[in-house]
Amino acid sequence: MNAYKFILKEEKYWPNIFPEVILLDYLFSGDRQVPSEMAVLTISCLLDLQEDFRMAVKRAFLRYLLKSPLERRRLQLEPEPPDFPTMTIRAPVPWKSSIYIARSRLNQHLMITHPVLIALNIIWHEIYNDMFVLNLSHLFCQETSFPTDEIQRYIGSRCADIREVLVNDWLPRCADMIDVMRKFWKDMVPLNVKFEGRIGIFYNCIHAYMSRQLEGLITRNVTHLYKILLYYTDGNDIEKYNMYDRKLRRKPLMTLIASVVGAHFIKPEKSEDHSGTSIYQYDPDDDANLFYVRPSLGALEPVTELDKLSEFLLENTSRLYIYPCMDALPDLFVELFKTILKVGYDIPRLEYVMSEKPETYGTLNCVPDNHVDMEILYNNVRTIVRNNMRGPKVYLMPIYKYYYPLFNNMLYEMTEKLFTQTFVPDLKNITDFMAKLYQIEVTVYYLRDFIPLNLFMLDNRHVKESIRMMVKKIYSFVINYYKAINLNQNRAICDALEEMSMKAGERPEETAEVVALQNYLAECREERIFAIKDDLKTVVQRVIFLLTHSTLNKDEIHLNSRTFVLPGELEEVLDLSAARLLVVRDKLEMALREKRKLFEKLLAYEKRRMDGFRLKEIRESFTLDELKERVDTADELFELIEKFSREAKAINTEEMLLQIDVSPFPLLTEIIEKMEPIEKLWKTAYEFEKDYVLWMNGPFVCLDADVIQDEVENMYKIIYKLTRQFAQNPTAKRVAETMRLKIERFRVYLPVLDAICRSGLLPRHWQQISNFLGREVNPTLYPTLADMISVNIMSILPQLEEVSNAAGKEFELNSTLDNMQKDWTDVMFEVVQYRDSDTNILSALDDIQTQLDDHIMRTQAMKRSPFIVALGSKADDWEERLLLIQNILDQWTQVQVTWMYLEPIFSSEDIMRQMPTEGRNFKAVDKLWRKIMKYACQDLHVMAATEYPNMLELLTKAVADLETVTKGLNTYLEQKRLFFARFFFLSNDELLEILSETKDPQRVQPHLKKCFEGVSKQIL
């Protein structure tokens, strides 16, 4: 009792431990103080009791099986039939004659007692009667059932072997036996070959007897296979898979292979029992609702026709697929029976085997595959197979739902999308994600490889391997991502460290390079190394992650090691480089101080030389060559000053780099302040003297008065400013005053230069100027400004300016008219083909109309100018031309719109017959319209196309004629509406469509809904 209570108590804590183990712990534990002899005796009794219980169960089970006649017959335990008692009958009996007749028929017609037939029977039953297609021990003694292909090959091979035995062994053996027993049937051969005699009956009996034997063999095998399937009649119609379900206890007959479409991997090694089977076999009739979807029939055929396998993969990727197709299984089992039936087909008769004469050819009778009994058997087989088709789907459905994100590639796409963001995911979250992936892979090991489902064994290895492969794919993607990041960042860190090390190891000689290198070393110490150390913290976490979840190769390990070692080596390099640069900097400071002293001495010397040039006495008047010499000397001095400035700037730069007080160099500043005005003076004087000769003595028709006026004003401002700056330099001031007076004298002539250089001065304008001056004046007689001044043209300056301004205004008006005329040179009409005719119509007239309105307004504004008189009738002619074009376009577009409306109407013969007057008027306008359009299409330029003779008058008359035609058409339609009031519900276009086809009553059908409420169609 204590042991029983202990077992009940311990089972609560250890539910998976067998009670026998808990009892052993109780008996052999020192705390219980159970004697060892008693413990051993208890265990021995318990083992004997268990063995007796097993034997009792076996005996009871065997007795229960032997009660069934089917089981006794299957195990060949049927008792021998008892001997029949001997009955003695004394003659006479009334049925003696019947017995003799029956015996005679058996002997003479059926010949069942003939020695040959008896011998054939003995041969059959001793050698061939026990041949079976299916060997149950071969099928059911294996650890797993055979795949479909293997069963088909096995049955096909067995059937081929049996047929081979029948054709090549049974028939020759029977033929040899009959030949040996010739004495028993040679008397049956007739002497007259025209009659078969009894030999024909003899061979027919042999044929019937052998056919019966063959049919018996085929029937036994078919029945044998059918009885095997009958054991699976209950099927596997279960709601939820349970390995202990009573329906699933039988050993399966056939293996079905489940796989994931599109998941390719290395196939598992073939077992010794059966070979591997191809997974992806396409069946066009396969439309299993869960694992296969029939390819949809699209409205459009694909451009490139794909093969069946490609179409199957594209349509069913990531779905579960069972091979062979579930819907094909019933017909597959039926084909097994038909394969057995084919064993007896086309086996020749024995007389043909013996004689090989064509006239004796025939075949033994056998069961046809379309026999009514076979059709019933086929239906029963299909029913049995269908009863066993639900199990695989019930088992795979939870797997498919649970692993759907993997099968459908959703989890991989989400992972890929996560790692394609601009930021790197948090490593802690990724670690948790990898742990969950590992858990998913672990769950695969809990799935069974082979699942018995009554008739079928489901091979689930491909699905498991696919799940592992998909998880591994995601796992590898994440690992490769972090390996790539680790590789790139570690290389970047190493490259940065090596770059700093190489930079620190340089030996600069220039001041800027030394200071830049010192600053670089300081930056490395204060910023870069600390930033790299912060990055190394992330690298450490990433390397730990990679070492935890993957195996790194030699190169990756070496790179990680360098990443962690290089920062320490770099600090030593930086210390050595800093010490070396301090020594170099001291030497550079000493050299800079010496260089500054020499430069100050050079400045003092050059200042004295430049003061001599600046204060040198010169004459009041000087030639152009003397001015050129002065300018060249000033340029040379300023080049030297610029050189000194660059050198001073270089010294100051070095001083700032070395953090020394910057030297101001006051002598250089003084030289620049005193020499800049001198340079401006001589350059301005030289430029004025050089240009003065050209302005006064050159042809004024080639001069631009506006540019000359700007240059003179600029020179005057410079000279006027310099006269104030040279208060302490009398020589330079005297030169500046002289130049200022010369410029002021030339400024007086600028109005004359502006007037005579004005564009638009024609001979008649020069004639007016000559009249005011009182003498002949023109550019030919007096080509230069000096010549004009010599004839005292300054005396008529107001009149000259007035004539010049008038000439300029006239020139501007004339240029504007010319530009407008040029604008119309390339303007062309755009035409398009009207429907399917040879006539074109105008299109896109908006741009032409806009340009036309703009030019008319501009022309009218120009005519209001007082200076337009000089152009004569040019402006009036241009305005008249533009207004004509505008009127033509207005009438043209109006005719086109009306013509396009009426042309389809009067193209109908019915309309022309009902409206003859309007038809003739329209035909006249149509002829004119087509003629004008043909003329315009020859040259689409607006100016050329509108030059058709009397074009405006013709178009105006056409507009009036078309209005008359339109009014007549409207009157005609109103009359038709008055005749039939229902036509008021139709528009003009709809009514014209009916009237234009009076010979076709069907044209009324589309408009019946509007004319009559509730009427959709009229049957004519």
Side-chain angles (χ1 to χ4, degrees):
M1 181 59 72
N2 294 333
Y4 177 71
K5 293 180 179 179
F6 177 78
I7 292 172
L8 292 179
K9 179 180 178 181
E10 291 297 322
E11 279 184 341
K12 296 179 180 179
Y13 302 105
W14 309 95
N16 297 327
I17 302 300
F18 292 103
E20 292 85 348
V21 179
I22 300 176
L23 179 61
L24 288 173
D25 181 64
Y26 177 82
L27 292 176
F28 293 99
S29 175
D31 299 338
R32 307 290 184 275
Q33 296 181 356
V34 178
S36 59
E37 296 81 3
M38 181 62 69
V40 173
L41 179 61
T42 302
I43 295 300
S44 301
C45 292
L46 179 62
L47 295 175
D48 293 340
L49 181 63
Q50 290 178 344
E51 184 65 24
D52 293 341
F53 175 76
R54 293 191 190 96
M55 294 301 297
V57 170
K58 292 179 181 179
R59 283 194 296 271
F61 183 71
L62 184 60
R63 289 195 188 99
Y64 175 77
L65 288 178
L66 294 179
K67 288 181 180 180
S68 172
L70 294 176
E71 291 295 328
R72 290 200 303 271
R73 191 178 304 112
R74 183 177 69 83
L75 297 175
Q76 299 179 0
L77 296 178
E78 291 291 337
E80 295 291 335
D83 297 332
F84 289 98
T86 305
M87 180 180 293
T88 304
I89 301 177
R90 295 181 177 87
V93 292
W95 34 263
K96 180 177 180 181
S97 60
S98 299
I99 291 177
Y100 285 151
I101 293 173
R103 182 179 298 172
S104 175
R105 180 175 177 81
L106 292 174
N107 293 332
Q108 301 301 324
H109 293 279
L110 300 181
M111 298 184 181
I112 59 174
T113 59
H114 194 279
V116 173
L117 270 67
I118 294 174
L120 290 176
N121 189 30
I122 294 173
I123 291 175
W124 176 261
H125 283 87
E126 289 183 355
I127 302 176
Y128 306 105
N129 189 54
D130 296 333
M131 290 191 299
F132 282 94
V133 173
L134 291 180
N135 186 354
L136 295 181
S137 62
H138 182 70
L139 287 178
F140 292 103
C141 292
Q142 305 293 334
E143 293 183 2
T144 59
S145 56
F146 284 95
T148 308
D149 296 344
E150 187 67 21
I151 290 179
Q152 289 178 322
R153 284 195 295 270
Y154 171 72
I155 293 179
S157 175
R158 288 290 300 161
C159 290
D161 293 342
I162 292 175
R163 181 178 175 84
E164 181 73 17
V165 171
L166 293 176
V167 174
N168 297 326
D169 185 75
W170 179 48
L171 291 179
R173 188 186 295 271
C174 292
D176 294 342
M177 186 271 298
I178 292 175
D179 186 60
V180 170
M181 301 179 67
R182 180 182 297 269
K183 64 181 179 178
F184 294 102
W185 56 269
K186 64 181 180 178
D187 295 337
M188 300 181 186
V189 179
L191 297 176
N192 190 350
V193 296
K194 293 183 179 179
F195 305 97
E196 292 185 356
R198 289 177 53 79
I199 193 64
I201 299 175
F202 175 71
Y203 277 115
N204 288 336
C205 291
I206 293 176
H207 167 70
Y209 203 73
M210 295 182 70
S211 297
R212 181 177 178 83
Q213 292 173 343
L214 180 62
E215 289 179 359
L217 174 65
I218 302 300
T219 304
R220 282 196 304 276
N221 281 278
V222 169
T223 305
H224 182 61
L225 178 59
Y226 180 65
K227 287 181 179 180
I228 294 175
L229 293 179
L230 286 177
Y231 286 106
Y232 304 98
T233 305
D234 295 338
N236 53 21
D237 189 5
I238 55 177
E239 295 297 330
K240 184 178 180 181
Y241 175 75
N242 182 7
M243 62 184 297
Y244 300 106
D245 196 310
R246 296 177 59 87
K247 294 182 179 180
L248 309 179
R249 291 185 177 181
R250 291 185 178 86
K251 186 176 181 63
L253 177 64
M254 180 182 292
T255 297
L256 303 179
I257 300 175
S259 60
V260 181
V261 180
H264 304 282
F265 51 87
I266 300 176
K267 297 182 180 179
E269 295 181 359
K270 299 180 182 179
S271 62
E272 296 179 358
D273 299 333
H274 57 274
S275 60
T277 307
S278 176
I279 303 174
Y280 306 114
Q281 296 293 332
Y282 176 72
D283 186 356
D285 297 328
D286 183 6
D287 56 356
N289 55 359
L290 174 62
F291 308 103
Y292 173 74
V293 176
R294 185 183 297 278
S296 59
L297 299 177
L300 298 176
E301 295 184 356
V303 177
T304 303
E305 183 177 355
L306 299 176
D307 58 276
K308 298 295 184 181
L309 178 60
S310 300
E311 290 182 0
F312 177 76
L313 292 177
L314 289 175
E315 293 291 337
N316 302 280
T317 298
S318 303
R319 290 188 175 92
L320 292 182
Y321 178 76
I322 294 179
Y323 176 79
C325 175
M326 298 295 291
D327 290 346
L329 287 176
D331 293 334
L332 188 145
F333 276 88
V334 170
E335 287 297 326
L336 297 180
F337 286 93
K338 292 183 178 180
T339 303
I340 297 176
L341 294 179
K342 291 178 182 179
V343 172
Y345 293 167
D346 299 330
I347 295 181
R349 293 175 59 139
L350 192 60
E351 55 267 34
Y352 176 75
V353 175
M354 296 176 65
S355 64
E356 295 184 356
K357 295 180 179 180
E359 59 270 14
T360 60
Y361 180 77
T363 58
L364 299 181
N365 297 333
C366 193
V367 181
D369 58 359
N370 57 355
H371 193 274
V372 61
D373 294 335
M374 293 306 300
E375 293 293 340
I376 296 174
L377 183 140
Y378 296 159
N379 294 331
N380 295 336
V381 170
R382 291 189 178 97
T383 302
I384 294 173
V385 176
R386 291 192 184 99
N387 292 339
N388 289 270
M389 287 172 58
R390 177 175 170 79
K393 299 180 181 179
V394 172
Y395 178 80
L396 291 176
M397 178 61 78
I399 297 176
Y400 183 74
K401 289 182 177 179
Y402 184 79
Y403 295 103
Y404 178 77
L406 276 177
F407 293 150
N408 204 33
N409 218 22
M410 291 172 56
L411 188 57
Y412 180 80
E413 291 177 356
M414 291 171 59
T415 306
E416 194 176 38
K417 184 177 181 181
L418 175 65
F419 284 94
T420 52
Q421 303 292 334
T422 55
F423 59 87
V424 180
D426 185 23
L427 198 58
K428 182 179 179 182
N429 297 332
I430 299 302
T431 303
D432 298 338
F433 175 71
M434 300 293 281
K436 292 179 180 178
L437 283 178
Y438 178 74
Q439 291 299 324
I440 293 176
E441 187 175 3
V442 169
T443 58
V444 178
Y445 292 98
Y446 293 102
L447 300 177
R448 301 178 63 182
D449 289 341
F450 297 94
I451 302 93
L453 298 169
N454 202 14
L455 176 61
F456 300 116
M457 173 76 77
L458 184 62
D459 185 355
N460 199 36
R461 292 178 298 170
H462 296 82
V463 175
K464 292 175 61 178
E465 190 64 27
S466 298
I467 296 173
R468 293 193 192 100
M469 181 194 68
M470 294 174 180
V471 172
K472 186 177 180 181
K473 180 181 178 182
I474 301 173
Y475 202 90
S476 301
F477 176 81
V478 177
I479 294 300
N480 293 335
Y481 175 83
Y482 278 102
K483 279 187 176 181
I485 290 181
N486 188 67
L487 178 65
N488 293 333
Q489 292 190 357
N490 287 4
R491 282 182 177 175
I493 291 174
C494 292
D495 292 343
L497 293 173
E498 290 176 355
E499 182 183 358
M500 286 188 282
S501 178
M502 293 293 294
K503 187 72 175 177
E506 294 180 355
R507 298 180 178 274
E509 297 180 357
E510 299 294 332
T511 304
E513 296 175 353
V514 172
V515 174
L517 185 56
Q518 285 184 328
N519 295 335
Y520 179 77
L521 296 179
E523 180 185 356
C524 291
R525 289 180 180 277
E526 297 173 2
E527 297 179 6
R528 295 195 177 188
I529 291 182
F530 288 103
I532 290 175
K533 288 183 178 180
D534 291 338
D535 293 339
L536 287 177
K537 296 178 182 178
T538 305
V539 172
V540 170
Q541 297 177 359
R542 189 166 56 244
V543 170
I544 294 175
F545 172 81
L546 292 175
L547 291 175
T548 304
H549 296 90
S550 66
T551 303
L552 302 181
N553 56 34
K554 182 179 179 181
D555 295 336
E556 292 171 341
I557 294 174
H558 177 69
L559 181 61
N560 293 334
S561 301
R562 284 179 54 80
T563 304
F564 297 125
V565 170
L566 282 179
E569 297 178 352
L570 179 62
E571 291 182 355
E572 298 178 0
V573 173
L574 293 179
D575 293 338
L576 293 175
S577 180
R580 183 176 64 253
L581 289 177
L582 287 176
V583 177
V584 176
R585 180 167 182 155
D586 293 339
K587 294 180 179 179
L588 290 175
E589 289 179 357
M590 294 176 61
L592 181 61
R593 292 189 181 93
E594 185 66 25
K595 181 179 180 181
R596 186 172 56 187
K597 290 179 182 180
L598 295 176
F599 181 66
E600 289 176 348
K601 292 180 180 180
L602 181 61
L603 286 178
Y605 171 76
E606 293 296 337
K607 180 179 178 299
R608 292 192 297 269
R609 191 164 69 92
M610 292 181 185
D611 288 343
F613 172 77
R614 184 171 54 85
L615 301 175
K616 182 179 180 182
E617 291 290 338
I618 59 174
R619 303 191 308 272
E620 294 184 1
S621 60
F622 34 80
T623 62
L624 189 61
D625 293 336
E626 292 175 345
L627 289 174
K628 181 68 171 64
E629 183 181 356
R630 286 280 178 172
V631 169
D632 294 341
T633 304
D635 290 340
E636 292 177 0
L637 293 176
F638 253 84
E639 289 179 0
L640 185 61
I641 291 173
E642 290 178 358
K643 179 180 178 182
F644 289 158
S645 299
R646 290 193 297 268
E647 188 171 355
K649 186 177 180 180
I651 293 173
N652 291 336
T653 302
E654 292 186 9
E655 290 174 342
M656 288 187 292
L657 291 174
L658 296 175
Q659 298 179 353
I660 303 175
D661 295 337
V662 178
S663 302
F665 298 115
L667 292 177
L668 180 60
T669 305
E670 182 181 354
I671 291 172
I672 294 174
E673 291 177 354
K674 292 181 178 180
M675 288 300 297
E676 278 184 350
I678 296 296
E679 187 220 8
K680 289 182 179 179
L681 173 64
W682 294 117
K683 282 190 175 182
T684 304
Y686 174 73
E687 292 295 333
F688 178 77
E689 291 293 342
K690 182 180 64 173
D691 294 339
Y692 180 81
V693 176
L694 179 63
W695 295 337
M696 291 298 293
N697 302 320
F700 62 81
V701 294
C702 300
L703 301 179
D704 189 341
D706 295 332
V707 175
I708 294 174
Q709 187 173 0
D710 293 338
E711 292 181 0
V712 171
E713 292 296 331
N714 188 32
M715 292 178 182
Y716 182 77
K717 290 178 182 179
I718 294 173
I719 294 299
Y720 183 77
K721 185 177 180 180
L722 291 176
T723 55
R724 295 179 177 272
Q725 292 181 358
F726 290 143
Q728 304 298 327
N729 190 350
T731 304
K733 185 176 181 180
R734 186 169 62 251
V735 175
E737 288 290 344
T738 303
M739 293 305 303
R740 183 176 65 82
L741 293 175
K742 286 185 178 182
I743 294 174
E744 286 180 351
R745 287 196 298 269
F746 182 77
R747 289 175 67 190
V748 177
Y749 305 134
L750 288 178
V752 177
L753 183 63
D754 180 62
I756 63 178
C757 292
R758 186 70 58 89
S759 299
L761 282 175
L762 300 176
R764 57 185 176 86
H765 298 114
W766 285 106
Q767 186 61 40
Q768 294 178 9
I769 295 173
S770 299
N771 294 336
F772 287 124
L773 188 59
R775 60 186 299 178
E776 185 70 22
V777 178
N778 56 57
T780 305
L781 297 176
Y782 303 100
T784 64
L785 178 60
D787 295 337
M788 288 293 180
I789 294 173
S790 64
V791 297
N792 198 19
I793 201 171
M794 291 290 293
S795 59
I796 60 168
L797 183 59
Q799 295 83 353
L800 178 64
E801 291 178 344
E802 182 180 355
V803 173
S804 177
N805 290 334
K809 295 294 184 180
E810 294 171 4
F811 179 76
E812 291 178 1
L813 293 174
N814 188 47
S815 299
T816 304
L817 280 176
D818 293 339
N819 291 333
M820 284 193 291
Q821 292 175 355
K822 289 180 181 178
D823 291 342
W824 285 96
T825 303
D826 298 328
V827 178
M828 301 173 65
F829 285 120
E830 293 185 15
V831 295
V832 295
Q833 186 178 6
Y834 177 69
R835 296 184 178 178
D836 295 332
S837 64
D838 58 350
T839 304
N840 297 321
I841 58 175
L842 299 178
S843 66
L845 296 175
D846 295 340
D847 294 340
I848 297 176
Q849 193 67 45
T850 301
Q851 182 174 340
L852 189 61
D853 294 339
D854 178 57
H855 283 197
I856 290 174
M857 293 177 60
R858 291 170 60 185
T859 304
Q860 292 174 350
M862 289 169 55
K863 289 180 63 178
R864 291 192 291 270
S865 175
F867 302 101
I868 198 66
V869 180
L871 300 182
S873 61
K874 184 177 182 180
D876 295 333
D877 294 342
W878 178 244
E879 181 185 15
E880 182 179 354
R881 178 61 173 157
L882 293 178
L883 291 175
L884 177 63
I885 294 174
Q886 187 179 43
N887 294 331
I888 289 175
L889 288 181
D890 293 340
Q891 299 299 322
W892 202 344
T893 54
Q894 188 174 355
V895 171
Q896 176 172 300
V897 171
T898 309
W899 179 83
M900 291 173 64
Y901 171 70
L902 296 175
E903 193 274 338
I905 298 173
F906 287 97
S907 297
S908 172
E909 296 181 359
D910 294 338
I911 298 296
M912 292 292 291
R913 185 170 57 254
Q914 299 173 34
M915 303 175 63
T917 304
E918 288 79 1
R920 285 193 299 272
N921 293 338
F922 178 77
K923 289 299 181 182
V925 175
D926 180 72
K927 183 178 180 181
L928 174 64
W929 165 261
R930 295 178 185 274
K931 189 174 182 181
I932 291 175
M933 288 306 303
K934 183 177 180 181
Y935 176 81
C937 291
Q938 293 176 359
D939 189 353
L940 292 175
H941 291 85
V942 174
M943 290 298 174
T946 55
E947 290 179 355
Y948 188 83
N950 301 322
M951 188 173 187
L952 180 60
E953 291 78 6
L954 293 174
L955 291 175
T956 303
K957 185 178 182 302
V959 170
D961 292 341
L962 291 177
E963 289 179 355
T964 303
V965 173
T966 304
K967 289 179 181 179
L969 178 63
N970 293 332
T971 303
Y972 168 74
L973 295 178
E974 290 299 325
Q975 292 176 357
K976 293 297 182 181
R977 288 190 174 97
L978 292 175
F979 291 150
F980 186 68
R982 291 287 178 175
F983 282 161
F984 280 103
F985 296 107
L986 301 178
S987 64
N988 290 345
D989 295 337
E990 293 172 341
L991 183 55
L992 286 170
E993 183 180 355
I994 296 174
L995 298 176
S996 62
E997 296 290 343
T998 56
K999 296 180 181 180
D1000 186 7
Q1002 295 294 337
R1003 301 299 291 268
V1004 185
Q1005 297 286 4
H1007 311 293
L1008 287 176
K1009 295 181 180 179
K1010 292 186 177 181
C1011 294
F1012 302 98
E1013 184 178 0
V1015 177
S1016 175
K1017 185 178 181 181
Q1018 180 182 10
I1019 300 176
L1020 301 176

